Amino acid sequence: MIPLAEALATYPAQLRPLPAERIPLQQALYRVLRADVLAACDLPRHSQSALDGYVLTAADAARAPCRLRIAGTLAAGDTAALTPLVDGECRRIYTGARVPPNAGAVVAQERVSIADGHIGLRESLKPGANIRMQGEEMRAGSPVARSGQRLTPGLIAALAAAGAAQVQVTRAPRIRLLVSGDELRPLGTSLADGQIWDSNGPLVLSWLAAHGYAAQAQHLPDERVDVERMLDAALTQCDLVITTGGVSVGDRDYIIPSAEKLGVRRVFWRVAQKPGKPLYFGLREGAAILGLPGNPAAVLIGLVLHVSAALDVLAGADSVGASFHPGTLAAPVRGAAQRDSLLRMRLEYAADGRAMLHPLPHQDSHMLSNLNRADVLAHVPAQDRIHAAGEILGWTLLA
Ligand code: AMP
Ligand code: MG
């Protein structure tokens, strides 16, 4: 049995990032950049109005109260050449429209009176008021995003604003999910005695989808020949093979002996974590296999802690695996001897701002119903003792 922290450290030590490719930005959600992205233009690209109002010269902005003749309109997207402003005149201008070269300030329309084609300016304006200056955020050629960053929706918008039509990112990993167990039936079918509906398949596929990954899923019967044949194909065709079930000590748990007969080198088997101890990690040439235990709550811990770390390394991400934040236990929990526990808890912020961790019932590895309330996994270090209310634990979002 390997300590949890040691197991998690093997992913960056044993795996390498997959090759990079250049793809359209819009297809790159949750991919990891493999090259810095530089702004193609100044940001903002042109000096522009920050609001709907009137643009005037610096001299007029300073000599309020005054009346200025409205001489024309400037709208966002106007491409006609801009003529300079003349003292004593202003122009109607809308948010995002370019300001004339000698613009001194923009006054909000709510702050002026209008009569006879003139505005009445009551108060003077600071130089540059309500003008977004060209390049004030960054200059063309400055980095907008760095290699190793994962592309979130917000970062995609930032790169779009900076003109990055194509991005250099790690190619998508080829993932195969093999769900083992003769007792399993797909959802929507009726069950004979002794059968259950497969919940690991939906769990893994939706967790992967939520993180921007797709996988091909197959059901694996508890037959040695089938396990060997399907594992061999998966290890040949894929970068990462995720299995569920069949990695424990039952006589029909064929995944590990089959994988190793097929040439997989064991990195570890059995992690000091609860639930999910019999987790297996192995490598064969360009492929990795993560054998998750069958119990669904163990699969969840496997995804949040182990699969996330392995995929982050394969993707070339600069931050690897789940990150933990401090929280305060709202009620006592019992730790386990020799194994770190990962308990599903509800997160609630106290009036003083502390993150309060509320333990939930039904923590056993075959139970999932508390996921209707659980927000986080809380990490209880290996120690056979009661952790009292008020103790600090690490938590990570169950997103
Ligand atoms: P195993 O590790 O294959 O012995 O499975 C451990 C437990 O998890 C058994 O009770 C299995 O029935 C259950 N289990 C395995 N796979 C799944 C699955 N895909 N969905 C729901 N339960 C499962
Ligand atoms: Mg099984």
Side-chain angles (χ1 to χ4, degrees), residues 12 48 60 94 119 131 181 194 196 215 218 238 309 318 354 368 378 391:
Q48 59 186 259
D60 288 339
Y94 302 115
I119 64 166
I131 294 178
I196 58 171
Q218 290 176 338
C238 297
D318 53 13
R354 279 183 307 163
L368 291 176
E391 277 192 45

Side-chain angles (χ1 to χ4, degrees), residues 1-16 240 256 259-260 263-271 279-285 287-291 306 310:
M1 193 160 71
I2 178 172
L4 175 58
E6 252 174 67
L8 296 177
T10 62
Y11 301 116
Q14 298 284 340
L15 297 171
R16 291 286 162 268
L240 178 63
I256 298 172
E260 296 188 350
V264 169
R265 172 174 70 81
R266 176 182 304 197
V267 180
F268 62 73
W269 178 46
R270 292 202 280 227
V271 182
L279 194 139
Y280 177 80
F281 177 35
L283 298 167
R284 187 180 85 169
E285 290 147 29
I289 170 168
L290 271 172
H306 296 268

Side-chain angles (χ1 to χ4, degrees), residues 179-180 183-184 196-200 244-246 253 294-296:
V179 177
S180 87
E183 72 279 30
L184 303 174
I196 58 171
W197 286 297
D198 166 30
S199 50
N200 289 338
T244 71
D253 290 336
N295 280 303

Side-chain angles (χ1 to χ4, degrees), residues 285-367:
E285 290 147 29
I289 170 168
L290 271 172
L292 308 181
N295 280 303
V299 172
L300 183 67
I301 274 78
L303 290 167
V304 174
L305 297 185
H306 296 268
V307 176
S308 69
L311 284 173
D312 283 342
V313 177
L314 292 179
D318 53 13
S319 102
V320 170
S323 50
F324 283 83
H325 317 278
T328 307
L329 258 182
V333 293
R334 173 151 220 121
Q338 275 131 42
R339 284 200 279 164
D340 289 4
S341 300
L342 292 137
L343 300 180
R344 290 159 267 168
M345 298 197 188
R346 193 165 56 76
L347 174 69
E348 209 176 85
Y349 284 93
D352 63 6
R354 279 183 307 163
M356 302 302 295
L357 299 168
H358 296 264
L360 296 168
H362 304 310
Q363 293 283 346
D364 288 358
S365 64
H366 60 293
M367 297 177 172

Side-chain angles (χ1 to χ4, degrees), residues 55-139:
V55 59
L56 40 124
T57 65
D60 288 339
R63 72 180 177 90
C66 61
R67 263 166 56 83
L68 304 171
R69 194 174 76 82
I70 304 170
T73 298
L74 301 167
D78 282 352
T79 54
L82 289 166
T83 53
L85 286 162
V86 177
D87 287 337
E89 283 185 359
C90 65
R91 271 175 235 168
R92 181 91 175 98
I93 194 164
Y94 302 115
T95 308
R98 283 180 306 157
V99 296
N102 63 335
V106 173
V107 60
Q109 62 188 45
E110 298 85 348
R111 295 189 159 267
V112 299
S113 55
I114 298 172
D116 312 327
H118 287 67
I119 64 166
L121 186 65
R122 290 185 290 272
E123 298 155 5
S124 60
L125 294 152
K126 290 203 179 91
N130 302 316
I131 294 178
R132 305 166 175 165
M133 295 302 295
Q134 176 174 342
E136 72 177 14
E137 188 178 3
M138 64 175 59
R139 288 292 176 191

